Amino acid sequence: MKNLHIDEVDTIVIDFDGVLTDNSVYLNDSGQEWVKCSRADGLAFDALRKLNKTVFILSSETNKVVSSRAKKLNVRVIQSIKNKLDAVDLITNNGSVNLERVLYIGNDLNDLNIMKLCGHTACPSDSHLSIKKISKFVLKARGGDGVIREIVEDILSLDITEILYSN
């Protein structure tokens, strides 16, 4: 399968649960949530930022965990979107970004309709079968296991070391 060139992408939208996490939630007896994310994704986000790519984390819930991770990664976050199609105007900056130039990375049924609108799609290997069927790229990585790193290095064929650490 042909890789994607970074110049074909203006905006990258990433579902949180099941993409940046392993889709598990850990709860303590007070109801506080914890999730597992991969630190390997951090450098990939740094590289995308250095290349001036717009990146959003999109979540159907409002969750402090999502907000904290987005802040740590220095990425915009859109939360409380029950129907992810409602986020299209925010993602496209009210139509100034063409959906054909959006790379959407999702994993479950609530991503299906918006993924059908985006020009480029990818999903972790443990995604719902319906998502795998419509994704241009089905990754080797499972959710929470370096999905964004794989996108940057293998799908976009970018050299993180060169982007971040060469003079």
Short mmCIF file of all heavy atoms in Angstrom, two decimals, residues 8-70:
data_model
loop_
_atom_site.label_atom_id
_atom_site.label_comp_id
_atom_site.label_asym_id
_atom_site.label_seq_id
_atom_site.Cartn_x
_atom_site.Cartn_y
_atom_site.Cartn_z
N GLU A 8 0.19 16.03 1.70
CA GLU A 8 -1.20 15.72 1.35
C GLU A 8 -2.14 15.91 2.54
O GLU A 8 -3.35 15.74 2.40
CB GLU A 8 -1.31 14.28 0.86
CG GLU A 8 -0.53 13.98 -0.40
CD GLU A 8 -0.60 12.51 -0.76
OE1 GLU A 8 -1.67 12.07 -1.24
OE2 GLU A 8 0.41 11.80 -0.55
N VAL A 9 -1.56 16.25 3.70
CA VAL A 9 -2.33 16.33 4.95
C VAL A 9 -2.19 17.72 5.55
O VAL A 9 -1.09 18.20 5.78
CB VAL A 9 -1.84 15.28 5.96
CG1 VAL A 9 -2.57 15.41 7.29
CG2 VAL A 9 -1.97 13.88 5.40
N ASP A 10 -3.34 18.37 5.81
CA ASP A 10 -3.33 19.66 6.50
C ASP A 10 -3.62 19.50 7.98
O ASP A 10 -3.08 20.21 8.81
CB ASP A 10 -4.39 20.60 5.90
CG ASP A 10 -4.08 21.00 4.48
OD1 ASP A 10 -2.89 21.11 4.13
OD2 ASP A 10 -5.03 21.21 3.71
N THR A 11 -4.51 18.56 8.30
CA THR A 11 -5.01 18.39 9.66
C THR A 11 -5.05 16.92 10.01
O THR A 11 -5.42 16.09 9.18
CB THR A 11 -6.43 19.00 9.79
OG1 THR A 11 -6.37 20.38 9.42
CG2 THR A 11 -6.97 18.88 11.20
N ILE A 12 -4.68 16.61 11.25
CA ILE A 12 -4.75 15.24 11.75
C ILE A 12 -5.67 15.23 12.95
O ILE A 12 -5.51 16.03 13.88
CB ILE A 12 -3.34 14.72 12.13
CG1 ILE A 12 -2.43 14.76 10.89
CG2 ILE A 12 -3.42 13.31 12.72
CD1 ILE A 12 -0.97 14.53 11.19
N VAL A 13 -6.65 14.34 12.92
CA VAL A 13 -7.63 14.23 14.00
C VAL A 13 -7.50 12.82 14.58
O VAL A 13 -7.53 11.83 13.85
CB VAL A 13 -9.06 14.47 13.49
CG1 VAL A 13 -10.06 14.36 14.63
CG2 VAL A 13 -9.17 15.82 12.80
N ILE A 14 -7.38 12.76 15.89
CA ILE A 14 -7.10 11.50 16.57
C ILE A 14 -8.14 11.25 17.65
O ILE A 14 -8.30 12.06 18.57
CB ILE A 14 -5.70 11.54 17.21
CG1 ILE A 14 -4.65 11.89 16.15
CG2 ILE A 14 -5.37 10.22 17.89
CD1 ILE A 14 -3.39 12.50 16.71
N ASP A 15 -8.83 10.14 17.54
CA ASP A 15 -9.71 9.70 18.62
C ASP A 15 -8.83 9.36 19.83
O ASP A 15 -7.70 8.90 19.66
CB ASP A 15 -10.51 8.48 18.16
CG ASP A 15 -11.38 7.92 19.26
OD1 ASP A 15 -12.09 8.69 19.92
OD2 ASP A 15 -11.35 6.69 19.45
N PHE A 16 -9.33 9.57 21.02
CA PHE A 16 -8.52 9.33 22.21
C PHE A 16 -8.59 7.87 22.66
O PHE A 16 -7.60 7.14 22.54
CB PHE A 16 -8.95 10.27 23.36
CG PHE A 16 -8.03 10.19 24.55
CD1 PHE A 16 -6.80 10.81 24.52
CD2 PHE A 16 -8.40 9.49 25.68
CE1 PHE A 16 -5.94 10.73 25.61
CE2 PHE A 16 -7.56 9.41 26.78
CZ PHE A 16 -6.32 10.03 26.74
N ASP A 17 -9.76 7.45 23.16
CA ASP A 17 -9.88 6.09 23.69
C ASP A 17 -9.75 5.06 22.57
O ASP A 17 -10.46 5.12 21.58
CB ASP A 17 -11.22 5.91 24.40
CG ASP A 17 -11.29 6.70 25.70
OD1 ASP A 17 -10.30 6.71 26.44
OD2 ASP A 17 -12.34 7.31 25.96
N GLY A 18 -8.83 4.14 22.74
CA GLY A 18 -8.64 3.09 21.76
C GLY A 18 -7.63 3.42 20.68
O GLY A 18 -7.24 2.55 19.90
N VAL A 19 -7.21 4.67 20.61
CA VAL A 19 -6.14 5.07 19.68
C VAL A 19 -4.92 5.50 20.48
O VAL A 19 -3.85 4.91 20.37
CB VAL A 19 -6.61 6.19 18.72
CG1 VAL A 19 -5.44 6.67 17.85
CG2 VAL A 19 -7.75 5.69 17.84
N LEU A 20 -5.09 6.53 21.31
CA LEU A 20 -3.99 6.95 22.18
C LEU A 20 -3.93 6.12 23.46
O LEU A 20 -2.95 6.19 24.19
CB LEU A 20 -4.12 8.43 22.52
CG LEU A 20 -3.93 9.38 21.34
CD1 LEU A 20 -4.09 10.83 21.79
CD2 LEU A 20 -2.59 9.17 20.67
N THR A 21 -4.98 5.34 23.72
CA THR A 21 -5.00 4.43 24.87
C THR A 21 -5.27 3.02 24.38
O THR A 21 -5.63 2.81 23.23
CB THR A 21 -6.11 4.80 25.88
OG1 THR A 21 -7.38 4.36 25.37
CG2 THR A 21 -6.15 6.29 26.16
N ASP A 22 -5.12 2.06 25.28
CA ASP A 22 -5.41 0.67 24.92
C ASP A 22 -6.89 0.33 25.08
O ASP A 22 -7.27 -0.82 25.05
CB ASP A 22 -4.53 -0.30 25.72
CG ASP A 22 -4.83 -0.31 27.21
OD1 ASP A 22 -5.72 0.47 27.66
OD2 ASP A 22 -4.19 -1.08 27.93
N ASN A 23 -7.71 1.36 25.25
CA ASN A 23 -9.16 1.25 25.37
C ASN A 23 -9.61 0.69 26.72
O ASN A 23 -10.77 0.36 26.89
CB ASN A 23 -9.78 0.45 24.21
CG ASN A 23 -11.08 1.05 23.72
OD1 ASN A 23 -11.41 2.18 24.05
ND2 ASN A 23 -11.82 0.31 22.94
N SER A 24 -8.68 0.59 27.64
CA SER A 24 -9.02 0.17 29.00
C SER A 24 -9.21 1.40 29.87
O SER A 24 -8.69 2.47 29.58
CB SER A 24 -7.89 -0.66 29.62
OG SER A 24 -7.70 -1.84 28.90
N VAL A 25 -9.97 1.25 30.91
CA VAL A 25 -10.09 2.31 31.91
C VAL A 25 -9.88 1.66 33.27
O VAL A 25 -10.37 0.56 33.54
CB VAL A 25 -11.46 3.05 31.83
CG1 VAL A 25 -12.62 2.13 32.12
CG2 VAL A 25 -11.47 4.26 32.73
N TYR A 26 -9.10 2.33 34.09
CA TYR A 26 -8.83 1.86 35.45
C TYR A 26 -9.52 2.81 36.40
O TYR A 26 -9.42 4.03 36.25
CB TYR A 26 -7.31 1.86 35.71
CG TYR A 26 -6.54 1.07 34.68
CD1 TYR A 26 -5.99 1.69 33.57
CD2 TYR A 26 -6.38 -0.30 34.82
CE1 TYR A 26 -5.29 0.96 32.61
CE2 TYR A 26 -5.69 -1.04 33.87
CZ TYR A 26 -5.15 -0.40 32.77
OH TYR A 26 -4.46 -1.12 31.83
N LEU A 27 -10.25 2.26 37.35
CA LEU A 27 -11.00 3.06 38.31
C LEU A 27 -10.57 2.72 39.73
O LEU A 27 -10.38 1.55 40.07
CB LEU A 27 -12.51 2.77 38.20
CG LEU A 27 -13.19 3.13 36.89
CD1 LEU A 27 -14.60 2.55 36.85
CD2 LEU A 27 -13.25 4.64 36.73
N ASN A 28 -10.46 3.76 40.58
CA ASN A 28 -10.26 3.47 41.99
C ASN A 28 -11.61 3.52 42.69
O ASN A 28 -12.64 3.78 42.06
CB ASN A 28 -9.22 4.42 42.61
CG ASN A 28 -9.72 5.85 42.74
OD1 ASN A 28 -10.90 6.16 42.57
ND2 ASN A 28 -8.80 6.76 43.04
N ASP A 29 -11.63 3.27 43.99
CA ASP A 29 -12.91 3.20 44.69
C ASP A 29 -13.61 4.55 44.81
O ASP A 29 -14.77 4.63 45.17
CB ASP A 29 -12.73 2.55 46.07
CG ASP A 29 -11.75 3.28 46.96
OD1 ASP A 29 -11.18 4.31 46.54
OD2 ASP A 29 -11.51 2.80 48.09
N SER A 30 -12.92 5.64 44.46
CA SER A 30 -13.53 6.97 44.44
C SER A 30 -14.06 7.32 43.05
O SER A 30 -14.61 8.41 42.86
CB SER A 30 -12.51 8.03 44.84
OG SER A 30 -12.03 7.78 46.14
N GLY A 31 -13.86 6.43 42.10
CA GLY A 31 -14.33 6.69 40.75
C GLY A 31 -13.36 7.44 39.86
O GLY A 31 -13.67 7.78 38.73
N GLN A 32 -12.14 7.71 40.36
CA GLN A 32 -11.12 8.36 39.53
C GLN A 32 -10.66 7.41 38.44
O GLN A 32 -10.46 6.22 38.70
CB GLN A 32 -9.91 8.77 40.36
CG GLN A 32 -10.07 10.04 41.12
CD GLN A 32 -8.77 10.42 41.80
OE1 GLN A 32 -8.21 9.63 42.56
NE2 GLN A 32 -8.28 11.61 41.51
N GLU A 33 -10.48 7.97 37.24
CA GLU A 33 -10.07 7.16 36.10
C GLU A 33 -8.59 7.34 35.79
O GLU A 33 -8.04 8.41 35.95
CB GLU A 33 -10.85 7.57 34.85
CG GLU A 33 -12.29 7.20 34.87
CD GLU A 33 -12.99 7.47 33.54
OE1 GLU A 33 -12.31 7.72 32.52
OE2 GLU A 33 -14.23 7.44 33.53
N TRP A 34 -8.00 6.24 35.32
CA TRP A 34 -6.65 6.24 34.77
C TRP A 34 -6.70 5.48 33.46
O TRP A 34 -7.51 4.56 33.30
CB TRP A 34 -5.65 5.51 35.68
CG TRP A 34 -5.29 6.24 36.92
CD1 TRP A 34 -4.30 7.15 37.07
CD2 TRP A 34 -5.89 6.09 38.21
NE1 TRP A 34 -4.25 7.59 38.36
CE2 TRP A 34 -5.21 6.95 39.08
CE3 TRP A 34 -6.94 5.32 38.70
CZ2 TRP A 34 -5.55 7.07 40.42
CZ3 TRP A 34 -7.28 5.43 40.03
CH2 TRP A 34 -6.58 6.30 40.87
N VAL A 35 -5.85 5.86 32.54
CA VAL A 35 -5.71 5.13 31.29
C VAL A 35 -4.22 4.96 31.01
O VAL A 35 -3.38 5.64 31.59
CB VAL A 35 -6.38 5.85 30.10
CG1 VAL A 35 -7.89 5.95 30.30
CG2 VAL A 35 -5.77 7.22 29.84
N LYS A 36 -3.91 4.06 30.10
CA LYS A 36 -2.53 3.84 29.69
C LYS A 36 -2.32 4.44 28.31
O LYS A 36 -3.05 4.13 27.38
CB LYS A 36 -2.23 2.34 29.66
CG LYS A 36 -0.82 2.00 29.25
CD LYS A 36 -0.66 0.50 29.09
CE LYS A 36 0.02 0.29 27.77
NZ LYS A 36 -0.18 -0.95 27.14
N CYS A 37 -1.32 5.32 28.20
CA CYS A 37 -0.93 5.90 26.92
C CYS A 37 0.54 5.55 26.67
O CYS A 37 1.28 5.26 27.59
CB CYS A 37 -1.06 7.43 26.97
SG CYS A 37 -2.72 8.03 27.27
N SER A 38 0.94 5.61 25.42
CA SER A 38 2.32 5.32 25.06
C SER A 38 3.15 6.60 25.02
O SER A 38 2.79 7.55 24.32
CB SER A 38 2.38 4.64 23.69
OG SER A 38 3.72 4.48 23.28
N ARG A 39 4.26 6.61 25.72
CA ARG A 39 5.18 7.74 25.66
C ARG A 39 5.84 7.86 24.29
O ARG A 39 6.30 8.92 23.91
CB ARG A 39 6.24 7.64 26.74
CG ARG A 39 5.70 7.90 28.12
CD ARG A 39 6.86 8.01 29.11
NE ARG A 39 6.40 8.23 30.44
CZ ARG A 39 6.22 9.42 30.98
NH1 ARG A 39 6.45 10.51 30.28
NH2 ARG A 39 5.80 9.54 32.22
N ALA A 40 5.86 6.77 23.55
CA ALA A 40 6.46 6.78 22.21
C ALA A 40 5.78 7.77 21.29
O ALA A 40 6.40 8.30 20.36
CB ALA A 40 6.42 5.38 21.59
N ASP A 41 4.52 8.06 21.54
CA ASP A 41 3.79 9.00 20.70
C ASP A 41 4.24 10.44 20.90
O ASP A 41 4.06 11.27 20.02
CB ASP A 41 2.28 8.90 20.98
CG ASP A 41 1.66 7.65 20.40
OD1 ASP A 41 2.19 7.13 19.40
OD2 ASP A 41 0.63 7.21 20.94
N GLY A 42 4.82 10.77 22.05
CA GLY A 42 5.20 12.15 22.36
C GLY A 42 6.10 12.79 21.31
O GLY A 42 5.86 13.92 20.87
N LEU A 43 7.15 12.09 20.91
CA LEU A 43 8.06 12.65 19.91
C LEU A 43 7.38 12.81 18.56
O LEU A 43 7.69 13.74 17.81
CB LEU A 43 9.31 11.78 19.78
CG LEU A 43 10.26 11.79 20.98
CD1 LEU A 43 11.41 10.81 20.76
CD2 LEU A 43 10.78 13.19 21.25
N ALA A 44 6.46 11.91 18.25
CA ALA A 44 5.72 12.03 17.00
C ALA A 44 4.88 13.31 16.99
O ALA A 44 4.84 14.03 15.99
CB ALA A 44 4.83 10.80 16.79
N PHE A 45 4.24 13.61 18.10
CA PHE A 45 3.48 14.85 18.21
C PHE A 45 4.41 16.06 18.10
O PHE A 45 4.07 17.05 17.46
CB PHE A 45 2.70 14.91 19.53
CG PHE A 45 1.41 14.14 19.50
CD1 PHE A 45 1.32 12.90 20.10
CD2 PHE A 45 0.29 14.67 18.89
CE1 PHE A 45 0.13 12.19 20.09
CE2 PHE A 45 -0.91 13.98 18.86
CZ PHE A 45 -0.99 12.72 19.46
N ASP A 46 5.59 15.99 18.71
CA ASP A 46 6.56 17.08 18.60
C ASP A 46 6.95 17.32 17.14
O ASP A 46 7.05 18.47 16.70
CB ASP A 46 7.82 16.77 19.42
CG ASP A 46 7.60 16.80 20.92
OD1 ASP A 46 6.56 17.33 21.37
OD2 ASP A 46 8.47 16.28 21.65
N ALA A 47 7.18 16.25 16.40
CA ALA A 47 7.55 16.36 14.99
C ALA A 47 6.42 17.00 14.18
O ALA A 47 6.68 17.89 13.35
CB ALA A 47 7.92 15.00 14.42
N LEU A 48 5.20 16.58 14.40
CA LEU A 48 4.06 17.16 13.68
C LEU A 48 3.92 18.65 13.98
O LEU A 48 3.64 19.45 13.09
CB LEU A 48 2.77 16.42 14.03
CG LEU A 48 2.69 14.98 13.50
CD1 LEU A 48 1.51 14.26 14.11
CD2 LEU A 48 2.63 14.97 11.97
N ARG A 49 4.13 19.01 15.23
CA ARG A 49 4.05 20.43 15.61
C ARG A 49 5.15 21.23 14.91
O ARG A 49 4.92 22.32 14.39
CB ARG A 49 4.15 20.57 17.14
CG ARG A 49 3.88 21.96 17.63
CD ARG A 49 3.77 22.08 19.16
NE ARG A 49 4.62 21.20 19.93
CZ ARG A 49 4.24 20.01 20.42
NH1 ARG A 49 3.02 19.55 20.21
NH2 ARG A 49 5.08 19.28 21.11
N LYS A 50 6.36 20.67 14.87
CA LYS A 50 7.47 21.37 14.21
C LYS A 50 7.20 21.53 12.71
O LYS A 50 7.66 22.51 12.10
CB LYS A 50 8.79 20.63 14.44
CG LYS A 50 9.98 21.42 13.96
CD LYS A 50 11.26 21.01 14.61
CE LYS A 50 12.38 21.94 14.14
NZ LYS A 50 13.65 21.48 14.60
N LEU A 51 6.45 20.62 12.12
CA LEU A 51 6.09 20.71 10.70
C LEU A 51 4.84 21.57 10.48
O LEU A 51 4.32 21.65 9.38
CB LEU A 51 5.86 19.30 10.14
CG LEU A 51 7.10 18.42 10.07
CD1 LEU A 51 6.71 16.99 9.70
CD2 LEU A 51 8.13 18.97 9.10
N ASN A 52 4.36 22.20 11.56
CA ASN A 52 3.19 23.10 11.51
C ASN A 52 1.92 22.41 11.06
O ASN A 52 1.09 23.02 10.36
CB ASN A 52 3.49 24.32 10.63
CG ASN A 52 4.57 25.17 11.21
OD1 ASN A 52 4.57 25.46 12.40
ND2 ASN A 52 5.53 25.56 10.38
N LYS A 53 1.74 21.16 11.45
CA LYS A 53 0.50 20.45 11.14
C LYS A 53 -0.49 20.68 12.28
O LYS A 53 -0.14 20.63 13.45
CB LYS A 53 0.75 18.95 10.94
CG LYS A 53 1.60 18.65 9.72
CD LYS A 53 0.92 19.16 8.46
CE LYS A 53 1.82 19.11 7.25
NZ LYS A 53 1.18 19.59 6.04
N THR A 54 -1.73 20.92 11.92
CA THR A 54 -2.79 21.07 12.91
C THR A 54 -3.21 19.69 13.38
O THR A 54 -3.51 18.82 12.56
CB THR A 54 -3.99 21.81 12.29
OG1 THR A 54 -3.54 23.08 11.82
CG2 THR A 54 -5.10 22.00 13.31
N VAL A 55 -3.22 19.50 14.68
CA VAL A 55 -3.58 18.20 15.26
C VAL A 55 -4.65 18.42 16.32
O VAL A 55 -4.54 19.34 17.14
CB VAL A 55 -2.35 17.49 15.87
CG1 VAL A 55 -2.74 16.17 16.47
CG2 VAL A 55 -1.24 17.31 14.83
N PHE A 56 -5.67 17.58 16.28
CA PHE A 56 -6.73 17.60 17.28
C PHE A 56 -6.86 16.22 17.90
O PHE A 56 -6.76 15.22 17.20
CB PHE A 56 -8.10 17.91 16.66
CG PHE A 56 -8.29 19.28 16.14
CD1 PHE A 56 -8.13 19.55 14.79
CD2 PHE A 56 -8.65 20.32 16.99
CE1 PHE A 56 -8.34 20.81 14.29
CE2 PHE A 56 -8.86 21.60 16.49
CZ PHE A 56 -8.70 21.84 15.14
N ILE A 57 -7.11 16.17 19.19
CA ILE A 57 -7.62 14.96 19.84
C ILE A 57 -9.12 15.17 19.98
O ILE A 57 -9.57 16.23 20.43
CB ILE A 57 -6.97 14.74 21.22
CG1 ILE A 57 -5.47 14.44 21.07
CG2 ILE A 57 -7.68 13.62 21.97
CD1 ILE A 57 -4.72 14.38 22.38
N LEU A 58 -9.87 14.19 19.55
CA LEU A 58 -11.34 14.28 19.57
C LEU A 58 -11.88 13.20 20.48
O LEU A 58 -11.52 12.03 20.35
CB LEU A 58 -11.87 14.10 18.14
CG LEU A 58 -13.37 14.23 17.91
CD1 LEU A 58 -13.87 15.59 18.31
CD2 LEU A 58 -13.67 13.96 16.43
N SER A 59 -12.72 13.59 21.43
CA SER A 59 -13.29 12.63 22.37
C SER A 59 -14.77 12.92 22.57
O SER A 59 -15.18 14.07 22.68
CB SER A 59 -12.57 12.72 23.72
OG SER A 59 -13.12 11.79 24.63
N SER A 60 -15.55 11.85 22.61
CA SER A 60 -16.99 12.03 22.82
C SER A 60 -17.31 12.38 24.27
O SER A 60 -18.38 12.91 24.55
CB SER A 60 -17.76 10.79 22.37
OG SER A 60 -17.24 9.64 22.97
N GLU A 61 -16.40 12.10 25.18
CA GLU A 61 -16.62 12.42 26.59
C GLU A 61 -15.88 13.69 26.97
O GLU A 61 -14.97 14.11 26.27
CB GLU A 61 -16.05 11.34 27.51
CG GLU A 61 -16.38 9.95 27.23
CD GLU A 61 -15.69 9.02 28.23
OE1 GLU A 61 -15.49 9.39 29.40
OE2 GLU A 61 -15.35 7.92 27.83
N THR A 62 -16.26 14.24 28.12
CA THR A 62 -15.44 15.26 28.76
C THR A 62 -14.71 14.55 29.89
O THR A 62 -15.34 13.95 30.75
CB THR A 62 -16.30 16.40 29.33
OG1 THR A 62 -17.02 17.00 28.26
CG2 THR A 62 -15.43 17.44 30.01
N ASN A 63 -13.39 14.57 29.83
CA ASN A 63 -12.63 13.78 30.79
C ASN A 63 -11.32 14.50 31.09
O ASN A 63 -10.60 14.90 30.17
CB ASN A 63 -12.36 12.39 30.18
CG ASN A 63 -11.84 11.42 31.20
OD1 ASN A 63 -11.00 11.75 32.02
ND2 ASN A 63 -12.34 10.20 31.12
N LYS A 64 -11.01 14.64 32.37
CA LYS A 64 -9.77 15.28 32.78
C LYS A 64 -8.54 14.54 32.25
O LYS A 64 -7.50 15.14 31.99
CB LYS A 64 -9.70 15.38 34.30
CG LYS A 64 -10.68 16.35 34.90
CD LYS A 64 -10.57 16.38 36.41
CE LYS A 64 -11.66 17.25 37.00
NZ LYS A 64 -11.63 17.22 38.46
N VAL A 65 -8.65 13.23 32.09
CA VAL A 65 -7.54 12.44 31.57
C VAL A 65 -7.21 12.89 30.14
O VAL A 65 -6.05 13.07 29.79
CB VAL A 65 -7.88 10.93 31.61
CG1 VAL A 65 -6.81 10.11 30.92
CG2 VAL A 65 -8.07 10.46 33.04
N VAL A 66 -8.23 13.09 29.33
CA VAL A 66 -8.04 13.54 27.95
C VAL A 66 -7.41 14.93 27.95
O VAL A 66 -6.44 15.19 27.22
CB VAL A 66 -9.37 13.54 27.17
CG1 VAL A 66 -9.16 14.05 25.76
CG2 VAL A 66 -9.99 12.15 27.16
N SER A 67 -7.95 15.81 28.76
CA SER A 67 -7.43 17.18 28.85
C SER A 67 -5.97 17.20 29.30
O SER A 67 -5.16 17.92 28.73
CB SER A 67 -8.25 18.02 29.84
OG SER A 67 -9.60 18.07 29.43
N SER A 68 -5.64 16.39 30.28
CA SER A 68 -4.27 16.34 30.79
C SER A 68 -3.30 15.82 29.75
O SER A 68 -2.21 16.37 29.58
CB SER A 68 -4.19 15.45 32.04
OG SER A 68 -4.91 16.02 33.09
N ARG A 69 -3.70 14.78 29.04
CA ARG A 69 -2.81 14.22 28.01
C ARG A 69 -2.63 15.21 26.86
O ARG A 69 -1.53 15.40 26.36
CB ARG A 69 -3.35 12.87 27.50
CG ARG A 69 -2.39 12.16 26.57
CD ARG A 69 -1.13 11.74 27.29
NE ARG A 69 -0.22 11.04 26.39
CZ ARG A 69 1.10 11.12 26.46
NH1 ARG A 69 1.67 11.83 27.42
NH2 ARG A 69 1.86 10.47 25.61
N ALA A 70 -3.71 15.86 26.44
CA ALA A 70 -3.63 16.85 25.37
C ALA A 70 -2.71 18.01 25.78
O ALA A 70 -1.90 18.48 24.97
CB ALA A 70 -5.01 17.35 25.01
#
